[in-house]
Amino acid sequence: MLHTANGGRLRDHILGVLVAKPHFTADEVRTDCIAEFGKEIVLRHGEVGAMPPLRTFQHFLKALKVEEQVPLALVTNPDKHRSHFALSGTDAYSWVKDPNQLWQVDASPVDVMCLDGRHSIYLCIDIATRRVVITTSKTPRASAVNLMTRKALLAWGAPVAVKTDNGTDFTAIETISLLDALNIDVQRSTRYSPQEKGHVERAIKTFQYGFCTKQPGYIGHDVEDRKEIEARKAFAARLHCDDKDAFCVELTAAELQARIDRWVVDYETSEHEFVGLGKVIPAQLAAASVKPIRTVDERALDVLLMPLAGGGGIRTMSKKGLRIDHHYYQAPEILPRTQVFVRLDPGDAGIVRAYSPDRHEFLAVAVCYSLAGVNPVERLKEARAKRKAVERSRIDPAIAATRHIKPGDYFPRHMAVKEAEAAERMKGLENVVPLPRRTQDHSTPQIAAAIESFDAHLKGPRRAVFDDAAKMRHQRLVAELSGSDDRAGNVTPLRREEAPAQRFARMIEIERRRDAGAPLSEDEAHELGSYQQSSEYKSRKAMLEDSGDQAPVSRS
């Protein structure tokens, strides 16, 4: 009846109520249906009937929850839907054939209580061989990830790629820095998609169920298990007792790690059945591989695992040194204003290791004299001498390379280059003659006053008066400028082209003819217009005017 009532809308409404309020009782669901449709419903063949009783709703809801359990789980319990109903494939990593081709790493709280509290485990699994490495940590952090990575690297060698989730311990700069230094590709699974790294999830479950249940201090896999364990003790025995007593806690963290290592050895040497591999022994799969193992020096690993200075490890050297936690670390080899990447030494607070920002080059070990317990006065004197030697080694070759150039040589050297560049740019433009441009006099009251004062100065008593010797020198200068020197006839010209003085004299003659109203040829007018714009004309014209126009400049 409820399936088909009101054209199926009643069933859809009930299912929607279960999605929004999955814990509603049958009575609450029936009440909501009355609020939506009233006390009467339309039956299958169009007849009108009363809303079914509570008992009918109870049977209907029970059947509906079974019938629609998969879509209901999708919205009411996504984790259950993903683990029980979501479509999943097999052999997603069938392309992984070789050891260390791909690792998967994840963390989980361990289901065993220790004397110092509950710890977490970090588990790394090699996909090709199913080998595992497990380490414990009090709290999830990047240093715990790096220690687990170190243990796996020393046991198996370096992998090609590592797949992790997006936890802060896996995305921390310390973790990324280590994997980047080892040239290991990092792959991230999609958020809230643990099925993308199902191998490590299954390995963690195997560990929790195969190891933890046998240990003292086992607290159960979930809240229900924990309550059952607590209930095993009599109420009187549990009264006023803490978790350690309630769960029979006996192990320290070190003892737990030792037991885990023994279990891992047994796991790797036992036969297991894996999807896509069948029944195999992980240790034998690893031994059967002929692929070379990329080993990493343990000392290098120890350095790469050193914690970074705050702020991602980047520091800038100042004249006082590298400032780290209110202390200054001196390294004379590193010049001020140089950016460096700094690693702290857990075993010695007085030193840090400085690298280039890309971490490809080791620069120096920087020392904090107060923390290192040395005399800062003596060490500072040595450091200054070393710093000066470093500075001189950087600048002396540069000074020697330019020692052959005198300070006064730079201008002619530069001008020679500039003039050569200008000549190169002007190639092909020798025959281009600019047309004369129109001009007009620009005058202002101040310009007019300046001209008037200049003319008054020339006409005044201060005008220079030439004596006979000065007049002769002036006439000789004008003759040289105009090319009319009487001695020119006795001189054999050294070149056929027109000299600047001759060209100036010829242009002056053309200019006088034009001013007298004589006609000029087209070539003469064009040449005169171009020449009057040149610096040669302007300078010689100024010299002629300054000397006073007391002698002719023409050859006639």
Side-chain angles (χ1 to χ4, degrees), residues 221-354:
H221 303 304
D222 49 36
V223 175
E224 184 178 355
D225 288 348
R226 181 172 180 139
K227 291 300 180 183
E228 290 180 0
I229 296 172
E230 290 176 342
R232 293 174 189 171
K233 301 182 68 69
F235 177 77
R238 290 191 290 112
L239 191 62
H240 304 300
C241 68
D242 57 15
D243 287 345
K244 294 180 181 179
D245 296 329
F247 296 104
C248 304
V249 177
E250 299 177 4
L251 301 176
T252 64
E255 291 172 340
L256 177 63
Q257 182 65 61
R259 291 193 176 200
I260 291 175
D261 293 339
R262 292 176 60 188
W263 181 85
V264 168
V265 172
D266 176 71
Y267 175 84
E268 292 186 348
T269 55
S270 302
E271 187 178 71
H272 305 275
E273 185 169 2
F274 301 105
V275 177
L277 296 179
K279 291 185 177 181
V280 295
I281 299 176
Q284 289 183 353
L285 279 180
S289 174
V290 296
K291 293 286 291 186
I293 299 174
R294 300 192 302 168
T295 59
V296 182
D297 188 277
E298 186 173 359
R299 296 171 301 172
L301 270 180
D302 291 338
V303 173
L304 295 176
L305 287 170
M306 289 181 176
L308 310 182
I314 297 298
R315 287 290 187 277
T316 300
M317 176 66 74
S318 68
K319 60 182 295 184
K320 294 182 178 180
L322 298 171
R323 190 173 186 271
I324 302 172
D325 296 334
H326 308 290
H327 295 284
Y328 286 95
Y329 292 76
Q330 286 284 355
E333 302 89 341
I334 305 175
L335 299 181
R337 298 188 180 182
T338 302
Q339 272 201 337
V340 297
F341 180 80
V342 180
R343 292 186 182 275
L344 310 180
D345 191 332
D348 189 350
I351 64 172
V352 297
R353 288 171 169 80

Side-chain angles (χ1 to χ4, degrees), residues 12-145:
D12 293 340
H13 181 77
I14 294 173
L15 188 61
V17 171
L18 291 179
V19 169
K21 299 293 183 180
H23 302 296
F24 265 17
T25 63
D27 182 53
E28 291 170 327
V29 173
R30 183 177 181 274
T31 302
D32 194 80
C33 289
I34 293 174
E36 180 70 19
F37 297 98
K39 292 185 177 182
E40 293 181 344
I41 59 175
V42 180
L43 301 181
R44 182 175 184 180
H45 299 289
E47 62 272 22
V48 177
M51 184 69 70
L54 177 61
R55 193 65 176 172
T56 302
F57 268 87
Q58 290 174 340
H59 290 299
F60 179 77
L61 288 177
K62 184 177 180 180
L64 185 64
K65 288 180 180 180
V66 174
E67 180 183 350
E68 302 292 349
Q69 60 178 323
V70 175
L72 278 173
L74 175 63
V75 292
T76 60
N77 194 344
D79 291 337
K80 180 179 179 180
H81 180 272
R82 181 175 55 246
S83 59
H84 289 77
F85 307 122
L87 184 64
S88 62
T90 58
D91 297 336
Y93 289 97
S94 58
W95 54 272
V96 180
K97 302 294 185 183
D98 301 318
N100 296 336
Q101 189 175 351
L102 176 66
W103 292 356
Q104 286 186 0
V105 181
D106 202 1
S108 174
V110 64
D111 295 338
V112 176
M113 184 76 73
C114 293
L115 291 173
D116 57 343
R118 193 178 182 186
H119 289 62
S120 295
I121 60 165
Y122 282 89
L123 190 146
C124 174
I125 183 172
D126 179 27
I127 300 300
T129 64
R130 301 302 198 270
R131 296 174 294 176
V132 295
V133 163
I134 304 176
T135 58
T136 60
S137 174
K138 179 62 178 176
T139 56
R141 60 182 61 188
S143 58
V145 178

